[in-house]
Amino acid sequence: MHDLLNSFTTELRRGTLTLAVLSQLDSPQYGYSLVQCLEQSGVAIEQSTLYPLLRRLEKQELVTSSWDTTESRPRKYYVLSDKGKQVLIELKNEWDKMSGELNLLLKGAKINEMD
Amino acid sequence: MKWIDIYVHEVSRRLPENTREDIALELKSTILDMLPDQYSEEDEKSALAELGDPAAMADEYRDKPTYLIGPGFYDGYLSTLKMVMPIVLFFTLSIYFIESYIQFAKTANDWTFLLHFFGEGIWNVINVGIQALFWITLVFFIIERSGVAPYQLSSTGKEWKPEDLKNVTVIPKKKAINKGEVFSSLLWTAIWGTVYFTAIDYIGVYRGAGGQPGLELITPIFNQSLLLSCWPIIVVFLGVEIALTIFKWIKGQWTQRLAMVNTIYHILYTGLFLFIILQSNLFHPDFFNYMGEIFNSTLAEVESVAQLVIGISIASVILTSAYSSYEGFKKAKIKLDPYKNSDSTK
């Protein structure tokens, strides 16, 4: 029962991961700053998932990256590309629609339950 | 610092050459970001623990399928294996059998050859089975990675449409002729055909060859010259049997016509069997003499036992033939749609 619940939760979270990451990349971020940013908003993400995900997004041309060597140690910064911005807007709309629909469904279920 | 470098190396060595350096650099800078300015070895370890197993991390980076045959092709892969394997093994065994027989004839009929024969036969089957498995897997592996969509391998080569249902023949399970049935009857034909033409004089009574390896043939049971004199009928019959089996295989289900052909075949079969078994000189004369000797009975007694055996054989052949013909018709009658069936009885 607990395992099953866990796997459902993981699945749900995995689906929203791309959206969560894209939403934070309006301004350039490096890997660890992004982790902290997400954690502050309560989104827990495995670091071993996040860094590879950033590279994948780069490969899909949703983000661009650049090395900043001016600081004490070099950091790789990621930022949304034009294509990424476009995708983010559409994904956001999709999310709004979906969560609205689902909330409606869940409310309906609650009413039925109380009957 | 030492721990970090080893960790980074553990990840990057699992990655493709061209991405290694960049990922290593990024990973290292990320790990250093996680740590305070002055950090201890314990800090290092806890940061690395957060990142987790380097192998799993590298897996995420690689972003390539970590399977041999994916779910889209798995069904096709399995059904190809099921289709190809029996055919390949059947031909391998047939060829091996013929080759061995020729070799056996050359060794002046040394029966110890048999042990060698079985050993090598099993080895052959394993060898060819593994080969077939390997090549089929390799072909599917390449097809999948070359970006072919699974539906392109289907018989239409296009995406599924409702019209495709027209070409599907639905065979109810009870009406179907399964592959095992076809295969075993082909095998049976091959065995009795081979035995009939090559080894009928080896079916007999044996005893240990007094200290020498192998067995000594005392007397064959059947009169080989009589049996071999019927060869043209037998050849025709073998042909008919193989043709019927292949016909069944192609049809895949029992139909009225197939049931009819099957019945004719069984009538012919029974007729041929009766013709041969009722020949007065079917048995080798030495066989009766020898039986009389060991059971200490007269020739007449042995002959009456033989008559009984012949009688039972005839009865069982007639019964099984009749039953098999009847089954054919019964299965041919099974309808696909249960509702249609009840309609027609109204």
Side-chain angles (χ1 to χ4, degrees):
Chain A
M1 175 69 186
H2 188 69
D3 281 351
L4 200 60
L5 191 67
N6 249 350
S7 82
F8 283 139
T9 319
T10 315
E11 214 170 305
L12 269 181
R13 194 171 293 150
R14 195 183 303 141
T16 60
L17 211 60
T18 313
L19 183 54
V21 169
L22 287 178
S23 73
Q24 300 304 305
L25 286 176
D26 255 348
S27 52
Q29 300 252 30
Y30 57 92
Y32 193 60
S33 70
L34 189 58
V35 171
Q36 285 173 317
C37 204
L38 288 169
E39 262 171 14
Q40 269 165 23
S41 329
V43 179
I45 178 169
E46 295 271 349
Q47 298 192 48
S48 61
T49 315
L50 177 68
Y51 305 135
L53 174 64
L54 282 171
R55 282 193 87 84
R56 260 199 302 280
L57 292 175
E58 189 185 359
K59 218 170 160 188
Q60 292 161 342
E61 296 172 352
L62 300 180
V63 303
T64 53
S65 72
S66 53
W67 280 96
D68 179 11
T69 46
T70 53
E71 303 247 351
S72 58
R73 65 169 158 269
R75 277 178 181 148
K76 198 175 187 183
Y77 280 84
Y78 294 90
V79 71
L80 279 182
S81 67
D82 289 343
K83 190 179 167 192
K85 283 178 189 155
Q86 194 59 39
V87 168
L88 176 61
I89 292 170
E90 275 163 40
L91 264 184
K92 240 190 211 160
N93 290 340
E94 204 56 47
W95 171 258
D96 285 340
K97 205 175 125 213
M98 210 186 285
S99 53
E101 288 163 355
L102 206 64
N103 279 335
L104 219 61
L105 276 181
L106 294 177
K107 254 187 226 156
K110 218 163 198 177
I111 291 167
N112 287 343
E113 218 169 70
M114 285 193 288
D115 279 347
Chain B
M1 199 65 185
K2 191 185 83 202
W3 292 79
I4 299 172
D5 282 334
I6 297 174
Y7 184 91
V8 170
H9 175 74
E10 275 295 286
V11 176
S12 62
R13 76 179 174 88
R14 293 181 162 88
L15 299 173
E17 199 94 43
N18 54 346
T19 58
R20 246 178 232 177
E21 204 187 346
D22 198 53
I23 290 178
L25 258 172
E26 187 182 3
L27 199 55
K28 192 168 171 184
S29 106
T30 306
I31 296 169
L32 292 175
D33 280 336
M34 292 165 77
L35 297 167
D37 285 341
Q38 300 295 318
Y39 57 86
S40 64
E41 201 174 291
E42 284 312 303
D43 291 331
E44 271 183 57
K45 277 201 242 176
S46 74
L48 296 181
E50 218 173 302
L51 289 174
D53 188 342
M57 170 82 93
D59 254 4
E60 292 269 358
Y61 269 122
R62 255 199 315 264
D63 197 24
K64 275 199 184 129
T66 47
Y67 50 76
L68 205 54
I69 308 290
F73 282 92
Y74 189 66
D75 258 0
Y77 172 65
L78 271 195
S79 55
T80 307
L81 271 185
K82 277 186 198 155
M83 190 175 68
V84 172
M85 276 294 182
I87 298 175
V88 166
L89 291 182
F90 176 75
F91 279 107
T92 310
L93 277 182
S94 311
I95 292 168
Y96 176 66
F97 195 76
I98 293 166
E99 263 179 8
S100 302
Y101 180 72
I102 294 167
Q103 223 179 330
F104 171 65
K106 277 189 199 152
T107 59
N109 302 351
D110 172 13
W111 278 102
T112 53
F113 180 77
L114 259 188
L115 292 176
H116 180 68
F117 171 76
F118 278 117
E120 206 177 348
I122 292 168
W123 169 241
N124 252 322
V125 166
I126 295 173
N127 194 9
V128 170
I130 291 174
Q131 284 267 349
L133 182 69
F134 171 76
W135 287 109
I136 293 171
T137 311
L138 184 70
V139 167
F140 269 86
F141 177 83
I142 292 170
I143 288 176
E144 175 150 31
R145 273 148 188 81
S146 63
V148 175
Y151 66 78
Q152 284 174 295
L153 291 188
S154 71
S155 55
T156 55
K158 296 195 180 94
E159 272 190 89
W160 185 84
K161 294 188 301 300
E163 284 77 40
D164 291 350
L165 291 176
K166 268 196 305 200
N167 304 323
V168 176
T169 39
V170 182
I171 300 171
K173 197 153 191 269
K174 282 184 181 164
K175 201 181 163 99
I177 297 165
N178 69 33
K179 299 251 161 58
E181 204 179 316
V182 170
F183 180 69
S184 57
S185 76
L186 277 180
L187 193 68
W188 170 239
T189 310
I191 290 173
W192 81 255
T194 319
V195 168
Y196 187 92
F197 282 107
T198 62
I200 204 82
D201 50 335
Y202 292 121
I203 302 174
V205 182
Y206 287 88
R207 74 172 163 218
Q212 274 164 14
L215 295 167
E216 184 190 3
L217 181 67
I218 300 170
T219 164
I221 294 177
F222 298 106
N223 184 344
Q224 192 198 10
S225 56
L226 165 75
L227 289 179
L228 285 188
S229 68
C230 311
W231 74 267
I233 315 175
I234 300 293
V235 167
V236 171
F237 199 75
L238 277 173
V240 170
E241 200 167 275
I242 292 171
L244 176 70
T245 311
I246 291 173
F247 186 51
K248 275 186 188 172
W249 191 4
I250 293 168
K251 279 277 170 195
Q253 62 174 326
W254 285 96
T255 59
Q256 287 292 335
R257 209 206 287 168
L258 180 58
M260 194 72 90
V261 174
N262 185 52
T263 306
I264 294 170
Y265 161 79
H266 274 295
I267 292 170
L268 284 176
Y269 173 74
T270 312
L272 180 69
F273 182 76
L274 287 179
F275 173 72
I276 290 176
I277 206 167
L278 291 177
Q279 298 287 324
S280 57
N281 50 353
L282 172 69
F283 292 104
H284 202 278
D286 288 352
F287 176 61
F288 276 6
N289 293 337
Y290 183 74
M291 283 294 138
E293 255 170 56
I294 46 171
F295 292 112
N296 207 6
S297 39
T298 64
L299 210 56
E301 279 171 327
V302 174
E303 261 171 22
S304 71
V305 172
Q307 295 298 335
L308 185 66
V309 171
I310 289 174
I312 293 171
S313 310
I314 291 175
S316 54
V317 164
I318 291 178
L319 279 178
T320 49
S321 286
Y323 180 71
S324 161
S325 308
Y326 164 74
E327 277 279 286
F329 281 109
K330 201 177 98 183
K331 284 180 176 170
K333 262 194 184 161
I334 296 172
K335 289 266 168 28
L336 166 61
D337 187 350
Y339 302 109
K340 222 184 231 170
N341 207 4
S342 62
D343 274 352
S344 66
T345 53
K346 266 181 195 168

